[in-house]
Amino acid sequence: MALSATASDAAVPAPAVAVRDALRQATSHLHAAVDAGMPLSGPAPSLADYHAHLCLLRDWVRLLQALPGMAERLAAERAALNADIEACERLRGATSPAWAPAAAAAVPLAGSPAQHAARAWGVAYVVEGSRLGGQVLYRRLAAPLAPHPLRYLQGAGAQTGARWRAFLDELRAALDTPARVQAACEGAVWAFERLLQLSRHAAAPGERAA
Ligand code: HEM
């Protein structure tokens, strides 16, 4: 889906509690699709699947960085992905699949600076949220994929919950009108859809060498 520029920036306050509910409601079906369709979704993921997962996220983050305001915000995320991809390649003796720009449709960036800023919060919500799923995956895969330390999935480890709560506080403070919440939902849906689009271009689990 292209990001549309429909939301007006009316100065009507949004109830703080509604922000996360709105984002969840807009994206829960997409989360379910991501959960089912990623390289690590199979019953017994291999190191090759983990490598494919990291490469997919690297390409996704690179695409998200093209959005106004996102390049710097996601620089640490991209560096963490690249570091763990290198660790995988050392263990596997394999190299990364090439960046596939054809899979990443161009990003129409119409809209006011305020809309861009609110959409960027929606995109950040998806990236930050993915770290919660990373913790689930880490607990599931640490033993089967040892000795790889799965550093990217470990992320902030025990600090993940606190980091998420701090992010939600910032999100609620930034998305203080219904129009901003609406624009953030568009950004979050757009981010999930780009990930799903890229994952359709990646090899299915089982098609990769162990
Ligand atoms: C890279 C792919 C993924 C993305 C982009 C993603 C995105 C998100 C987002 C945005 C949230 C926040 C939802 C909220 O507001 O509560 C979230 C939460 C969560 N996700 Fe994912 N997720 C991904 C993968 C996964 C996977 C593979 C799993 C399971 C293995 C998973 C399990 C969870 C769990 C358990 C939560 C926490 C719910 C809570 O504590 O309220 N996610 N994810």
Side-chain angles (χ1 to χ4, degrees), residues 1-3 63-68 104-110 116 190 194:
M1 185 198 81
L3 284 177
L63 179 63
L64 302 182
Q65 282 186 303
L67 289 172
V107 184
L109 293 174
H116 286 315
W190 182 87
R194 297 291 70 72

Side-chain angles (χ1 to χ4, degrees), residues 20 24 27 31 34-35 38 53 57 60 125-127 129-130 132-134 136-137 140 164 168 192 195:
R20 185 182 179 191
R24 263 185 164 163
T27 59
H31 188 283
V34 160
D35 196 9
M38 294 284 284
H53 178 83
L57 293 187
W60 179 56
Y125 162 82
V126 181
V127 175
S130 74
L132 303 176
V136 178
L137 290 172
R140 192 182 292 168
W164 174 244
L168 288 178
F192 264 114
L195 180 59

Side-chain angles (χ1 to χ4, degrees), residues 5-71:
T6 52
S8 71
D9 207 17
V12 183
V17 291
V19 171
R20 185 182 179 191
D21 286 349
L23 284 159
R24 263 185 164 163
Q25 219 172 346
T27 59
S28 60
H29 63 297
L30 297 166
H31 188 283
V34 160
D35 196 9
M38 294 284 284
L40 295 177
S41 302
S46 64
L47 198 52
D49 294 321
Y50 182 55
H51 185 206
H53 178 83
L54 295 172
C55 291
L56 182 56
L57 293 187
R58 173 204 56 194
D59 290 350
W60 179 56
V61 165
R62 182 162 17 186
L63 179 63
L64 302 182
Q65 282 186 303
L67 289 172
M70 293 310 285

Side-chain angles (χ1 to χ4, degrees), residues 75-89:
E77 192 74 16
R78 187 158 156 191
L81 284 160
N82 282 333
D84 219 18
I85 286 169
E86 279 172 30
C88 256
E89 290 174 357

